[in-house]
Amino acid sequence: MTEPFRDPTLPPHERVRDLLARLTTEEKIGLLHQYQRPIPRLGIASFRTGTEALHGLAWHGPATVFPQAIGLASTWDPDLVQQVGAATAAEVLVFHTKNPATVGRNVWAPVVNPLRDPRWGRNEEGYSEDPWLTGVMAVSYARGLAGPHPHRMDTAPTLKHFLAYNNETDRCTSSSHLPPRVLHEYELPAFLPALREGVAVAVMPSYNLVNGRPAHLSPLINDVLRAAAPDELMVVSDAMAPGNLVDPQHYYDDHATAYAHALRAGIDSFTQDDDRAEATLAHLRDALDRGLITEEDLDRAATHILSVRVRLGEFDPEPLRRVDPDTVNSPAHQALARTAARRSIVLLKNDGILPLRDPRRIAVIGQLADTLMEDWYSGTLPYAITARAGLAERTETVFCEGVDRIALRTNEGYLTASADGTPMTITPAPGFGPVAESAAFDLFDWGGAWALRAVVNGRYVSEDENGHLTNDQPGPNGWEVRQTFRWQPDPNGTGVLQHIATGRYVAVGDNNTVTLTPDADSAAVFAIDTLRSGATEAAAIAATAEVAIVVAGDHPLVNGRETEDRTDLDLPAAQEKVLRAVRAANPATVLVLTSGYPFGIVWADEHIPAILWSAHGGQEYGRALADVLFGDADPTGRLTQTWYRSAAELPDLFDYDIIANDATYLYYLGSPLYPFGHGLSYTTFDYTDPEVHVTDDHVTVHVTVTNTGDRFGEEVVQCYTHQRVSRVKQPLRKLQGFARVALHPGETRRVRIDFPIHALAIWDVTRSRFVVEDAPRTVHLGRSAKDLRVCAPLNVPGEPIGPRPATRLHAADNDEYHGVVLCAAAKDRGDAVRATEPGAWIAFLDVDFTPAPKEAVICANTDQPGTLTLRIDNPISGPTVATADIPAATDHFDFTEVRIPVDSVTRRHDLYIVFEAAGTALSWIDLS
């Protein structure tokens, strides 16, 4: 008789319950690592979580490479994104069939962190700075990955990385300050849609802490994420994150305790020590033996894991869906890659030079003009159609890489490479004549990071296992990129080279071999001899062509990648130098940017006739680019991030309070270089006759859109709302929906956009719930968040937010603050605020002191005796109504309740709690 857990006619929860009852304690523990152990007596195979599939299958050999995630989102085309997800899932199944132990069907995608700061090193992995748009794209991609079968998934998508994670700098030890409104209005809306739709069945927490508590221990995992999912949700840790709880986070003293708390907080699968599971399982056994976890805790985690495996059809009698091996990089997937790349291209500026008008000769120039880049989470390119190759299929091209050729000279001689890539040396300079080819290097500037390619063999300079420099690498590569250097000039026009991966300096060792040293004083001092100017050569080539196309941007593994944030938004200096030289030589210059993040290209915007941007576009990028440049396709991409003029317009990288700091298009008060939603067409559109209708629980917006140009074009009609009156700070505009409409010249169409009334809600900190305020609103329609063409009033039923009652006020639910950060009130749950400077304060606005309180109880903590002062109406000059002396505590989680008298205060006032010393924390104050 077939065991119930193998019966696909039974509900998944019954199958899981049957299987769980058959497992021993040791077998349950064996399921809790990334590499789940087989159970031969039940015929259950091993199972591996974590196949990377962010924009195609990664890390397992050649597979179709689609545009980076930020590029897929820039299509503003959810159906297309779903098709890419489905194609990726099909290729995962092919590789899984070949090697099920290596290629698992739990895929770690999509990434749904809202892109609040373009300096984030992993910007390319996300979709948008808008949480709603992020959620839309996540649903589409995850639905494609999961497949069309309602009860049997092709793959099991995993949302990354929960929560408030946009910095690589100190990512394992930094704490993200996340006030309640930012949590509920900005962060959670990016994660919840794919969970509620049931298309994502797993979540991965992030490395960082949130409000002083490791994200892997967040109570929100169980309280919010699991509550949102219609079925069981599996939670997998990020790689090595469980061990971080002990070191470097020092949140718990030993691994058994840390793992026990992680398991109880909701972590089901521990991604630790790669495929070496024994240490993790031993810690869990120890936790069980010590009573830190129970059998019920094991059952709960095993249930989450087995539920996903059941829904993948692993235990069904019929075989898994078979996919033709030729599906990988099939003609259909190649065509889809080209479509995705083409529709992701954004036309940022056009003075009329585009589309190209049958030029007989094009100069194709730049470090990225004849190469395609793979990022850390991309697949291996099965072939590469570069910009140069794509354009060469259309017309005659001439090419210039536009990089300087240099020699590095010390007092003893030149840095010298060999044709066979053996360790490099310092070779005495010739007495006369040109520098030998072995001493010549092409210099690639990726923005604060240099890569050196030896002319003698075309290979890049790197560090070998013995600490020597060799020229034997195809380019920057690997998790720890060891092929980049930072130039540190001195006042004499010379300088030293610092190896970025190790922080050590290039030096001359024994027998004139070139090595690395930690001692900056022992570094070799180099002078740079420019043998050939990339800018000069590029200008000369550009002058011979009718049009010059400069392809510039970033290297996805250098200066802006996982583990490394950017410090600025600048285009690398050498690339900008080339661009300026080309523009001077040929006014018909087009800048094509290829990058995983925005650049502050102010000079280019002022001087270059046309500018396009796309993310790294995958294998068909060059043909897609040619389609748009030559006008075969209208540019239909739109920005999903604000492009700022410089990093000076951004708040601190570690400040996650977008509301207080006017961050993202929602709150930014300045004039961006290119706004959220921006993207030009080769035609023009007119918007007229907006109408708004409110029925039941949703809003319907209509607008007439007309193609007023002389070319076919596709418009992305964007709908924003603005609440004009509120108790709290409101977004300047908020995206509520969009619609794509393709129109022939002169064609007109009535466009409809719908959104639910609850999308207008804000998080009310006075009652800890969402509220649609009774307030006037406006609907705006247009081409971007700044190019809004028409508007109409919006009136929906709402409710007022009244004064706060003078009862228990939680410090985290303050209305305004200065000089404080959110922290953990206890190790497992609860938030508090802690002063970072003397005179810090939090405010509770419009508190109703009726009846007048006679005393208050304060729950506070401090490592040194401290004082809290209660003032009304002003934190500096307002009347003092109470003072609390807080005794020193044993640690940061030892909060003390202090009872204090309150002077007579009646009616409604703003209440300020002032922290007289740094380090004092407040969990709550009770005035009832």
Side-chain angles (χ1 to χ4, degrees):
M1 186 176 85
T2 301
E3 303 98 325
F5 76 86
R6 296 191 182 279
D7 184 352
T9 65
L10 294 177
H13 70 274
E14 291 187 19
R15 300 174 67 185
V16 171
R17 184 168 59 241
D18 173 75
L19 178 53
L20 185 67
R22 299 171 185 271
L23 301 184
T24 66
T25 298
E26 182 59 28
E27 288 168 342
K28 295 172 189 174
I29 291 174
L31 297 174
L32 305 187
H33 189 268
Q34 179 186 18
Y35 288 82
Q36 297 173 27
R37 292 185 166 178
I39 307 173
R41 69 181 183 87
L42 295 177
I44 294 175
S46 59
F47 184 90
R48 178 189 184 276
T49 66
T51 295
E52 300 293 353
L54 186 59
H55 53 108
L57 174 65
W59 300 5
H60 293 288
T64 308
V65 178
F66 298 98
Q68 292 174 306
I70 185 70
L72 292 175
S74 298
T75 66
W76 290 59
D77 191 336
D79 292 339
L80 177 61
V81 172
Q82 181 174 336
Q83 292 175 48
V84 172
T88 299
E91 299 198 7
V92 169
L93 291 177
V94 171
F95 279 80
H96 173 77
T97 301
K98 294 178 182 177
N99 192 344
T102 301
V103 184
R105 291 197 292 143
N106 166 232
V107 291
W108 285 357
V111 171
V112 294
N113 299 100
L115 303 179
R116 65 170 182 91
D117 194 310
R119 293 169 296 186
W120 184 32
R122 303 181 75 170
N123 193 83
E124 65 197 25
E125 298 180 35
Y127 290 130
S128 173
E129 71 183 36
D130 181 80
W132 177 82
L133 184 59
T134 295
V136 168
M137 295 302 169
V139 167
S140 294
Y141 193 66
R143 180 170 282 124
L145 288 172
H149 196 288
H151 305 299
R152 193 178 188 187
M153 299 181 296
D154 288 339
T155 69
T158 303
L159 302 183
K160 298 162 61 175
H161 312 81
F162 188 76
L163 170 76
Y165 170 45
N166 295 117
N167 60 276
E168 296 305 291
T169 308
D170 300 329
R171 66 177 180 173
C172 292
T173 55
S174 63
S175 179
S176 303
H177 172 85
L178 199 64
R181 281 194 65 200
V182 182
L183 168 67
H184 290 280
E185 296 178 28
Y186 190 70
E187 286 285 339
L188 288 176
F191 284 86
L192 294 179
L195 297 179
R196 287 172 173 156
E197 291 287 329
V199 293
V201 297
V203 171
M204 175 188 287
S206 50
Y207 283 115
N208 55 291
L209 296 85
V210 179
N211 297 347
R213 181 179 296 109
H216 279 68
L217 302 177
S218 173
L220 297 170
I221 293 172
N222 287 327
D223 294 351
V224 176
L225 300 187
R226 287 203 157 101
D231 298 301
E232 300 288 357
L233 180 70
M234 180 174 72
V235 179
V236 301
S237 83
D238 209 337
M240 311 303 286
N244 290 348
L245 297 171
V246 177
D247 187 19
Q249 292 171 349
H250 304 295
Y251 206 73
Y252 288 106
D253 293 333
D254 65 86
H255 288 86
T257 303
Y259 287 22
H261 282 275
L263 186 72
R264 292 168 60 186
I267 303 300
D268 305 310
S269 177
F270 290 73
T271 311
Q272 184 74 31
D273 302 327
D274 298 320
D275 59 352
R276 303 180 300 279
E278 186 50 44
T280 293
L281 303 186
H283 295 317
L284 291 168
R285 292 188 201 100
D286 186 18
L288 184 64
D289 292 341
R290 291 163 55 184
L292 301 174
I293 56 175
T294 66
E295 190 83 20
E296 288 74 17
D297 295 319
L298 298 179
D299 288 350
R300 186 166 51 250
T303 295
H304 300 149
I305 291 167
L306 293 174
S307 175
V308 169
R309 294 177 67 170
V310 164
R311 282 177 280 165
L312 283 168
E314 179 183 346
F315 309 129
D316 293 358
E318 64 268 23
L320 303 179
R321 179 165 79 92
R322 309 296 289 188
V323 178
D324 187 336
D326 291 338
T327 298
V328 177
N329 192 38
S330 63
H333 285 189
Q334 293 173 10
L336 181 61
R338 182 171 179 172
T339 298
R342 182 178 66 246
R343 293 179 71 80
S344 74
I345 294 172
V346 181
L347 181 60
L348 299 176
K349 178 186 176 181
N350 186 21
D351 286 348
I353 190 175
L354 296 180
L356 298 175
R357 295 164 179 82
D358 299 321
R360 289 171 294 179
R361 191 184 208 204
I362 295 176
V364 188
I365 296 164
Q367 294 180 189
L368 289 167
D370 198 31
T371 187
L372 294 185
M373 298 293 187
E374 296 172 2
D375 62 57
W376 182 245
Y377 291 105
S378 74
T380 302
L381 288 161
Y383 61 88
I385 307 299
T386 67
R388 178 189 183 186
L391 292 168
E393 293 178 354
R394 302 298 192 94
T395 190
E396 178 190 351
T397 61
V398 287
F399 169 68
C400 176
E401 204 164 25
V403 297
D404 289 345
R405 180 160 292 179
I406 66 169
L408 291 166
R409 172 171 46 85
T410 70
N411 289 334
E412 291 75 30
Y414 284 98
L415 180 68
T416 304
S418 63
D420 58 3
T422 54
M424 301 170 69
T425 60
I426 297 294
T427 303
F432 58 88
V435 173
E437 185 180 72
S438 59
F441 299 88
D442 292 330
L443 171 60
F444 291 80
D445 179 6
W446 297 115
W450 286 3
L452 297 168
R453 185 180 64 196
V455 173
V456 69
N457 68 349
R459 308 292 279 184
Y460 284 76
V461 177
S462 184
E463 179 207 22
D464 68 12
E465 64 275 8
N466 298 314
H468 295 122
L469 292 194
T470 59
N471 53 296
D472 63 352
Q473 293 297 303
N477 65 85
W479 176 251
E480 291 185 358
V481 175
R482 311 187 81 81
Q483 297 80 40
T484 55
F485 301 83
R486 183 172 291 114
W487 175 249
Q488 297 184 357
D490 59 34
N492 302 317
T494 54
V496 299
L497 282 172
Q498 183 180 33
H499 187 239
I500 293 176
T502 63
R504 294 181 292 168
Y505 296 85
V506 176
V508 181
D510 296 337
N511 301 317
N512 281 336
T513 58
V514 182
T515 185
L516 296 176
T517 177
D519 182 10
D521 293 335
S522 300
V525 178
F526 290 102
I528 298 177
D529 294 343
T530 301
L531 310 179
R532 187 181 71 196
S533 165
T536 300
E537 186 179 49
I541 292 291
T544 69
E546 292 176 53
V547 178
I549 308 291
V550 178
V551 187
D554 76 312
H555 191 303
L557 298 181
V558 180
N559 190 28
R561 51 155 288 170
E562 185 170 359
T563 73
E564 184 180 358
D565 297 311
R566 288 190 296 166
T567 58
D568 59 47
L569 305 182
D570 300 340
L571 192 66
Q575 295 191 50
E576 177 137 336
K577 182 179 179 181
V578 167
L579 177 64
R580 294 187 183 211
V582 169
R583 172 63 179 83
N586 188 337
T589 294
V590 176
L591 171 61
V592 174
L593 287 171
T594 303
S595 66
Y597 43 67
F599 283 109
I601 50 167
V602 175
W603 182 90
D605 182 67
E606 294 173 350
H607 296 90
I608 302 299
I611 305 172
L612 300 98
W613 170 82
S614 77
H616 291 275
Q619 62 201 53
E620 283 285 341
Y621 167 76
R623 292 192 178 110
L625 177 64
D627 289 342
V628 173
L629 288 174
F630 279 88
D632 297 347
D634 196 46
T636 57
R638 301 293 185 268
L639 296 180
T640 63
Q641 273 184 289
T642 301
W643 281 45
Y644 300 92
R645 296 176 182 274
S646 78
E649 298 178 327
L650 295 167
D652 188 277
L653 179 67
F654 294 95
D655 196 333
Y656 281 73
D657 190 347
I658 65 163
I659 299 174
N661 290 293
D662 300 328
T664 77
Y665 86 95
L666 294 162
Y667 296 96
Y668 179 58
L669 296 170
S671 176
L673 183 63
Y674 304 115
F676 173 86
H678 175 70
L680 302 178
S681 167
Y682 288 149
T683 187
T684 55
F685 299 94
D686 188 33
Y687 289 64
T688 57
D689 302 324
E691 289 183 341
V692 178
H693 300 282
V694 179
T695 55
D696 298 327
D697 59 353
H698 70 278
V699 178
T700 300
V701 181
H702 289 92
V703 67
T704 299
V705 181
T706 302
N707 182 343
T708 55
D710 57 2
R711 293 178 57 93
F712 172 84
E714 190 169 345
E715 177 69 315
V716 179
V717 180
Q718 301 167 39
C719 178
Y720 298 86
T721 58
H722 173 62
Q723 183 173 322
R724 302 200 300 273
V725 177
S726 177
R727 178 187 181 276
V728 297
K729 185 176 180 179
Q730 284 284 334
L732 301 172
R733 62 203 66 82
K734 181 182 178 184
L735 181 69
Q736 299 290 3
F738 64 91
R740 304 192 68 97
V741 55
L743 299 172
H744 292 281
E747 185 179 0
T748 294
R749 192 171 302 167
R750 195 73 173 157
V751 175
R752 171 175 173 167
I753 297 172
D754 295 276
F755 59 88
I757 288 178
H758 67 71
L760 302 169
I762 61 169
W763 185 257
D764 178 15
V765 294
T766 72
R767 288 174 285 182
S768 295
R769 66 175 176 86
F770 276 107
V771 170
V772 177
E773 282 188 285
D774 181 13
R777 295 174 174 85
T778 302
V779 169
H780 297 271
L781 298 128
R783 310 200 69 249
S784 76
K786 286 286 189 178
D787 187 2
L788 301 172
R789 302 295 182 88
V790 293
C791 64
L794 170 61
N795 298 297
V796 300
E799 60 180 300
I801 299 177
R804 288 180 185 260
T807 56
R808 178 168 292 193
L809 305 176
H810 290 275
D813 290 331
N814 64 79
D815 290 293
E816 295 177 0
Y817 63 88
H818 168 76
V820 301
V821 294
L822 284 155
C823 63
K827 281 210 166 186
D828 55 348
R829 63 174 54 240
D831 292 337
V833 298
R834 190 175 300 276
T836 61
E837 61 186 63
W841 52 262
I842 61 173
F844 298 98
L845 304 182
D846 194 19
V847 178
D848 187 354
F849 291 95
T850 305
K854 300 300 183 182
E855 64 178 13
V857 180
I858 286 178
C859 183
N861 166 274
T862 181
D863 54 357
Q864 299 291 331
T867 301
L868 293 175
T869 303
L870 278 61
R871 295 179 181 270
I872 58 172
D873 298 332
N874 188 287
I876 299 174
S877 60
T880 298
V881 297
T883 301
D885 293 322
I886 312 300
T890 57
D891 61 43
H892 279 185
F893 302 104
D894 179 20
F895 278 73
T896 302
E897 293 184 18
V898 177
R899 188 177 298 272
I900 57 174
V902 176
D903 292 347
S904 178
V905 54
T906 59
R907 297 189 297 275
R908 292 161 65 171
H909 295 276
D910 297 337
L911 173 64
Y912 289 85
I913 301 178
V914 181
F915 300 73
E916 303 298 347
T920 304
L922 175 68
S923 177
W924 48 262
I925 176 172
D926 196 330
L927 294 162
S928 61

